Amino acid sequence: MFTASAIMNMKSHMFLTYPLLCFLFLSSFVYGQLDYKYYDTTCPNLTKIVRNGVWSAISNDTRMPASLLRLHFHDCFVNGCDGSILLDDTSTFTGEKNAFPNRNSARGYEVIDAIKANVEKACPSTVSCTDILTLAAREAIYLTRGPFWSVCLGRRDSLTASQSAANDQLPSPFEPLVNITAKFVSKGLDVKDVVVLSGAHTIGFAQCFAFKRRLFDFDGSGNPDPTLDSSLLGSLRSVCPNQSDSDSNLAPLDAVTINRFDNVYFKNLMNNSGLLESDQALMNDNTTAALVSNYSRNPSLFSKEFAASMVKLINIGVLTGQNGEIRKNCRVVN
């Protein structure tokens, strides 16, 4: 991990690298009410509060950076970045927490709750849960040596959530690449975003059920996936034996640098060592394979383009102005 002074020095450098991405993207769309300085007077210590909360969470759980990023991604991909994934079920709607892609796998809710509580103490009824989640994901990646991107703020929180939308809209590791790409395109993203955001799998873990058929019964053949590296196959079979009680066991998405955000994920794909079918499938298409090759050779390019894709992602379908609300508790509508 890093010292506080090292973090601040690195942060300053990275801010100079990506200060205008959000502005350049938003200038073509309708999110003019978002602003880098949105909370400068109403909650001037917001970034510090979020950073400290994420730092504390990572200190207790090294899986948390990937979990926070995934939580943020799953929020933005379902009807926009609106904090809907944070809502508990109510008598009037069934929320997203128990949708198939999130059930028993989405994590980090308590971290956002804790940060929100501290933000409320400093700035009551001022900062949305959506902005907190957006900032927390950014800080989580930066604190694992990933890129830093500037975040326009001023999002508001949704008044409802939808389990059916989560089931329909979130990409699945079992889907073919063409389906996953179509889901990205429907959100205003493109093929390059598919590849570069898949690079988030350089950190984090997957449960065995998400890839077990590659180990034992690929495409119903009764044999393992022939594209999977043989040494990786052996190690994964030891973690995920062919029995149902291993389904929730965990394997790292990138076994080489487990807790560091870097470009090794792409090197793994080049070596047939992608964990998920949807990861390794990037090598089966000429366009996506070329991008994988570029990122595997050029870590700075990956960092730059990951930051740019995140700026696109964090502004999908945001609520501003009088739409939505500022929740006092991220789990319930006011």
PDB file of all heavy atoms in Angstrom, residues 15 32 69 94 109 142 155 174 186 193 206 235 246 268 273 280 282 284 315 330:
ATOM      1  N   PHE A  15      -4.083  13.827 -11.793  1.00  0.00           N
ATOM      2  CA  PHE A  15      -5.100  14.831 -12.084  1.00  0.00           C
ATOM      3  C   PHE A  15      -4.682  15.665 -13.281  1.00  0.00           C
ATOM      4  O   PHE A  15      -5.493  16.015 -14.137  1.00  0.00           O
ATOM      5  CB  PHE A  15      -5.316  15.734 -10.872  1.00  0.00           C
ATOM      6  CG  PHE A  15      -6.388  16.760 -11.096  1.00  0.00           C
ATOM      7  CD1 PHE A  15      -7.719  16.412 -10.969  1.00  0.00           C
ATOM      8  CD2 PHE A  15      -6.071  18.051 -11.472  1.00  0.00           C
ATOM      9  CE1 PHE A  15      -8.722  17.344 -11.197  1.00  0.00           C
ATOM     10  CE2 PHE A  15      -7.072  18.982 -11.701  1.00  0.00           C
ATOM     11  CZ  PHE A  15      -8.380  18.633 -11.554  1.00  0.00           C
ATOM     12  N   GLY A  32     -25.237  19.014 -18.479  1.00  0.00           N
ATOM     13  CA  GLY A  32     -24.606  20.276 -18.146  1.00  0.00           C
ATOM     14  C   GLY A  32     -24.706  20.658 -16.695  1.00  0.00           C
ATOM     15  O   GLY A  32     -23.967  21.521 -16.228  1.00  0.00           O
ATOM     16  N   LEU A  69     -15.825  -1.256  -7.538  1.00  0.00           N
ATOM     17  CA  LEU A  69     -15.911  -0.955  -8.961  1.00  0.00           C
ATOM     18  C   LEU A  69     -17.058  -1.730  -9.602  1.00  0.00           C
ATOM     19  O   LEU A  69     -17.821  -1.184 -10.407  1.00  0.00           O
ATOM     20  CB  LEU A  69     -14.602  -1.294  -9.656  1.00  0.00           C
ATOM     21  CG  LEU A  69     -14.572  -1.024 -11.163  1.00  0.00           C
ATOM     22  CD1 LEU A  69     -14.813   0.460 -11.459  1.00  0.00           C
ATOM     23  CD2 LEU A  69     -13.253  -1.477 -11.777  1.00  0.00           C
ATOM     24  N   THR A  94     -39.328  -4.575  -6.281  1.00  0.00           N
ATOM     25  CA  THR A  94     -38.262  -5.534  -5.997  1.00  0.00           C
ATOM     26  C   THR A  94     -36.991  -4.983  -6.602  1.00  0.00           C
ATOM     27  O   THR A  94     -36.900  -4.770  -7.814  1.00  0.00           O
ATOM     28  CB  THR A  94     -38.579  -6.913  -6.617  1.00  0.00           C
ATOM     29  OG1 THR A  94     -39.826  -7.375  -6.105  1.00  0.00           O
ATOM     30  CG2 THR A  94     -37.490  -7.912  -6.273  1.00  0.00           C
ATOM     31  N   TYR A 109     -21.803  -2.759  -0.058  1.00  0.00           N
ATOM     32  CA  TYR A 109     -22.909  -1.913   0.413  1.00  0.00           C
ATOM     33  C   TYR A 109     -22.587  -1.254   1.751  1.00  0.00           C
ATOM     34  O   TYR A 109     -22.878  -0.069   1.967  1.00  0.00           O
ATOM     35  CB  TYR A 109     -24.191  -2.745   0.552  1.00  0.00           C
ATOM     36  CG  TYR A 109     -24.684  -3.379  -0.721  1.00  0.00           C
ATOM     37  CD1 TYR A 109     -24.622  -4.753  -0.915  1.00  0.00           C
ATOM     38  CD2 TYR A 109     -25.214  -2.602  -1.748  1.00  0.00           C
ATOM     39  CE1 TYR A 109     -25.083  -5.342  -2.086  1.00  0.00           C
ATOM     40  CE2 TYR A 109     -25.684  -3.179  -2.923  1.00  0.00           C
ATOM     41  CZ  TYR A 109     -25.600  -4.555  -3.089  1.00  0.00           C
ATOM     42  OH  TYR A 109     -26.053  -5.132  -4.248  1.00  0.00           O
ATOM     43  N   TYR A 142      -7.706   3.807  -7.962  1.00  0.00           N
ATOM     44  CA  TYR A 142      -6.464   4.564  -7.810  1.00  0.00           C
ATOM     45  C   TYR A 142      -5.599   3.995  -6.687  1.00  0.00           C
ATOM     46  O   TYR A 142      -4.371   3.917  -6.811  1.00  0.00           O
ATOM     47  CB  TYR A 142      -6.772   6.039  -7.561  1.00  0.00           C
ATOM     48  CG  TYR A 142      -5.506   6.839  -7.521  1.00  0.00           C
ATOM     49  CD1 TYR A 142      -4.779   7.053  -8.692  1.00  0.00           C
ATOM     50  CD2 TYR A 142      -5.005   7.315  -6.327  1.00  0.00           C
ATOM     51  CE1 TYR A 142      -3.586   7.741  -8.666  1.00  0.00           C
ATOM     52  CE2 TYR A 142      -3.810   8.006  -6.294  1.00  0.00           C
ATOM     53  CZ  TYR A 142      -3.100   8.217  -7.459  1.00  0.00           C
ATOM     54  OH  TYR A 142      -1.905   8.890  -7.425  1.00  0.00           O
ATOM     55  N   ARG A 155     -24.885  14.311  -9.432  1.00  0.00           N
ATOM     56  CA  ARG A 155     -25.905  13.276  -9.697  1.00  0.00           C
ATOM     57  C   ARG A 155     -26.898  13.220  -8.549  1.00  0.00           C
ATOM     58  O   ARG A 155     -26.560  13.500  -7.410  1.00  0.00           O
ATOM     59  CB  ARG A 155     -25.228  11.909  -9.847  1.00  0.00           C
ATOM     60  CG  ARG A 155     -24.310  11.782 -11.033  1.00  0.00           C
ATOM     61  CD  ARG A 155     -23.387  10.569 -10.894  1.00  0.00           C
ATOM     62  NE  ARG A 155     -22.366  10.605 -11.937  1.00  0.00           N
ATOM     63  CZ  ARG A 155     -21.297  11.401 -11.897  1.00  0.00           C
ATOM     64  NH1 ARG A 155     -21.099  12.195 -10.840  1.00  0.00           N
ATOM     65  NH2 ARG A 155     -20.438  11.406 -12.886  1.00  0.00           N
ATOM     66  N   PHE A 174     -21.525 -15.707 -19.243  1.00  0.00           N
ATOM     67  CA  PHE A 174     -21.941 -16.847 -20.061  1.00  0.00           C
ATOM     68  C   PHE A 174     -22.418 -16.436 -21.450  1.00  0.00           C
ATOM     69  O   PHE A 174     -22.697 -17.289 -22.290  1.00  0.00           O
ATOM     70  CB  PHE A 174     -23.061 -17.621 -19.350  1.00  0.00           C
ATOM     71  CG  PHE A 174     -22.711 -18.022 -17.938  1.00  0.00           C
ATOM     72  CD1 PHE A 174     -23.347 -17.434 -16.863  1.00  0.00           C
ATOM     73  CD2 PHE A 174     -21.738 -18.975 -17.695  1.00  0.00           C
ATOM     74  CE1 PHE A 174     -23.030 -17.795 -15.562  1.00  0.00           C
ATOM     75  CE2 PHE A 174     -21.411 -19.345 -16.397  1.00  0.00           C
ATOM     76  CZ  PHE A 174     -22.056 -18.753 -15.332  1.00  0.00           C
ATOM     77  N   SER A 186     -25.884  -0.345 -26.403  1.00  0.00           N
ATOM     78  CA  SER A 186     -27.177   0.208 -25.980  1.00  0.00           C
ATOM     79  C   SER A 186     -27.017   1.276 -24.904  1.00  0.00           C
ATOM     80  O   SER A 186     -27.925   2.073 -24.673  1.00  0.00           O
ATOM     81  CB  SER A 186     -28.091  -0.911 -25.474  1.00  0.00           C
ATOM     82  OG  SER A 186     -27.690  -1.370 -24.194  1.00  0.00           O
ATOM     83  N   ASP A 193     -14.667   0.159 -25.523  1.00  0.00           N
ATOM     84  CA  ASP A 193     -15.064   0.206 -24.118  1.00  0.00           C
ATOM     85  C   ASP A 193     -15.259  -1.193 -23.552  1.00  0.00           C
ATOM     86  O   ASP A 193     -14.944  -1.447 -22.385  1.00  0.00           O
ATOM     87  CB  ASP A 193     -16.348   1.019 -23.954  1.00  0.00           C
ATOM     88  CG  ASP A 193     -16.184   2.470 -24.362  1.00  0.00           C
ATOM     89  OD1 ASP A 193     -15.185   3.086 -23.952  1.00  0.00           O
ATOM     90  OD2 ASP A 193     -17.049   2.972 -25.102  1.00  0.00           O
ATOM     91  N   ALA A 206     -13.680 -14.376  -8.891  1.00  0.00           N
ATOM     92  CA  ALA A 206     -14.941 -14.901  -9.411  1.00  0.00           C
ATOM     93  C   ALA A 206     -15.273 -16.184  -8.672  1.00  0.00           C
ATOM     94  O   ALA A 206     -14.374 -16.958  -8.298  1.00  0.00           O
ATOM     95  CB  ALA A 206     -14.845 -15.163 -10.906  1.00  0.00           C
ATOM     96  N   SER A 235      -4.728 -25.941 -11.747  1.00  0.00           N
ATOM     97  CA  SER A 235      -4.859 -25.190 -10.496  1.00  0.00           C
ATOM     98  C   SER A 235      -6.312 -24.838 -10.213  1.00  0.00           C
ATOM     99  O   SER A 235      -6.754 -24.866  -9.053  1.00  0.00           O
ATOM    100  CB  SER A 235      -3.998 -23.932 -10.549  1.00  0.00           C
ATOM    101  OG  SER A 235      -4.457 -23.024 -11.544  1.00  0.00           O
ATOM    102  N   SER A 246     -18.655 -26.630  -4.365  1.00  0.00           N
ATOM    103  CA  SER A 246     -17.526 -25.744  -4.679  1.00  0.00           C
ATOM    104  C   SER A 246     -17.960 -24.502  -5.443  1.00  0.00           C
ATOM    105  O   SER A 246     -17.131 -23.645  -5.754  1.00  0.00           O
ATOM    106  CB  SER A 246     -16.466 -26.494  -5.488  1.00  0.00           C
ATOM    107  OG  SER A 246     -16.914 -26.726  -6.819  1.00  0.00           O
ATOM    108  N   ASN A 268      -2.543 -12.139 -19.754  1.00  0.00           N
ATOM    109  CA  ASN A 268      -3.136 -13.454 -19.489  1.00  0.00           C
ATOM    110  C   ASN A 268      -3.971 -13.934 -20.673  1.00  0.00           C
ATOM    111  O   ASN A 268      -3.920 -15.112 -21.054  1.00  0.00           O
ATOM    112  CB  ASN A 268      -4.012 -13.403 -18.238  1.00  0.00           C
ATOM    113  CG  ASN A 268      -3.213 -13.168 -16.968  1.00  0.00           C
ATOM    114  OD1 ASN A 268      -2.006 -13.403 -16.929  1.00  0.00           O
ATOM    115  ND2 ASN A 268      -3.882 -12.702 -15.924  1.00  0.00           N
ATOM    116  N   SER A 273      -5.039 -17.584 -20.689  1.00  0.00           N
ATOM    117  CA  SER A 273      -5.221 -17.726 -19.243  1.00  0.00           C
ATOM    118  C   SER A 273      -6.295 -16.798 -18.705  1.00  0.00           C
ATOM    119  O   SER A 273      -6.265 -16.408 -17.533  1.00  0.00           O
ATOM    120  CB  SER A 273      -3.889 -17.463 -18.519  1.00  0.00           C
ATOM    121  OG  SER A 273      -2.930 -18.434 -18.886  1.00  0.00           O
ATOM    122  N   GLN A 280     -11.822 -14.597 -22.201  1.00  0.00           N
ATOM    123  CA  GLN A 280     -11.022 -15.239 -23.245  1.00  0.00           C
ATOM    124  C   GLN A 280     -11.632 -15.058 -24.625  1.00  0.00           C
ATOM    125  O   GLN A 280     -10.923 -15.062 -25.629  1.00  0.00           O
ATOM    126  CB  GLN A 280     -10.838 -16.721 -22.932  1.00  0.00           C
ATOM    127  CG  GLN A 280      -9.702 -17.370 -23.695  1.00  0.00           C
ATOM    128  CD  GLN A 280      -8.347 -16.714 -23.422  1.00  0.00           C
ATOM    129  OE1 GLN A 280      -7.968 -16.505 -22.280  1.00  0.00           O
ATOM    130  NE2 GLN A 280      -7.623 -16.366 -24.490  1.00  0.00           N
ATOM    131  N   LEU A 282     -12.519 -12.476 -25.956  1.00  0.00           N
ATOM    132  CA  LEU A 282     -11.988 -11.276 -26.601  1.00  0.00           C
ATOM    133  C   LEU A 282     -10.890 -11.617 -27.605  1.00  0.00           C
ATOM    134  O   LEU A 282     -10.602 -10.826 -28.504  1.00  0.00           O
ATOM    135  CB  LEU A 282     -11.434 -10.308 -25.542  1.00  0.00           C
ATOM    136  CG  LEU A 282     -12.453  -9.721 -24.566  1.00  0.00           C
ATOM    137  CD1 LEU A 282     -11.750  -8.877 -23.516  1.00  0.00           C
ATOM    138  CD2 LEU A 282     -13.508  -8.890 -25.293  1.00  0.00           C
ATOM    139  N   ASN A 284     -11.114 -14.074 -29.704  1.00  0.00           N
ATOM    140  CA  ASN A 284     -11.722 -14.777 -30.842  1.00  0.00           C
ATOM    141  C   ASN A 284     -12.269 -13.840 -31.908  1.00  0.00           C
ATOM    142  O   ASN A 284     -12.857 -14.307 -32.889  1.00  0.00           O
ATOM    143  CB  ASN A 284     -12.838 -15.696 -30.349  1.00  0.00           C
ATOM    144  CG  ASN A 284     -12.337 -16.763 -29.397  1.00  0.00           C
ATOM    145  OD1 ASN A 284     -11.170 -17.172 -29.475  1.00  0.00           O
ATOM    146  ND2 ASN A 284     -13.202 -17.205 -28.492  1.00  0.00           N
ATOM    147  N   ASN A 315     -21.348   8.640 -16.646  1.00  0.00           N
ATOM    148  CA  ASN A 315     -22.336   9.647 -17.023  1.00  0.00           C
ATOM    149  C   ASN A 315     -23.494   9.075 -17.828  1.00  0.00           C
ATOM    150  O   ASN A 315     -24.251   9.815 -18.454  1.00  0.00           O
ATOM    151  CB  ASN A 315     -21.638  10.776 -17.788  1.00  0.00           C
ATOM    152  CG  ASN A 315     -20.694  11.544 -16.892  1.00  0.00           C
ATOM    153  OD1 ASN A 315     -21.117  12.189 -15.938  1.00  0.00           O
ATOM    154  ND2 ASN A 315     -19.404  11.442 -17.167  1.00  0.00           N
ATOM    155  N   CYS A 330     -28.756   5.440   1.989  1.00  0.00           N
ATOM    156  CA  CYS A 330     -28.625   4.932   0.623  1.00  0.00           C
ATOM    157  C   CYS A 330     -29.512   3.744   0.337  1.00  0.00           C
ATOM    158  O   CYS A 330     -29.786   3.424  -0.819  1.00  0.00           O
ATOM    159  CB  CYS A 330     -27.171   4.551   0.347  1.00  0.00           C
ATOM    160  SG  CYS A 330     -26.062   5.980   0.296  1.00  0.00           S
TER     161      CYS A 330
END
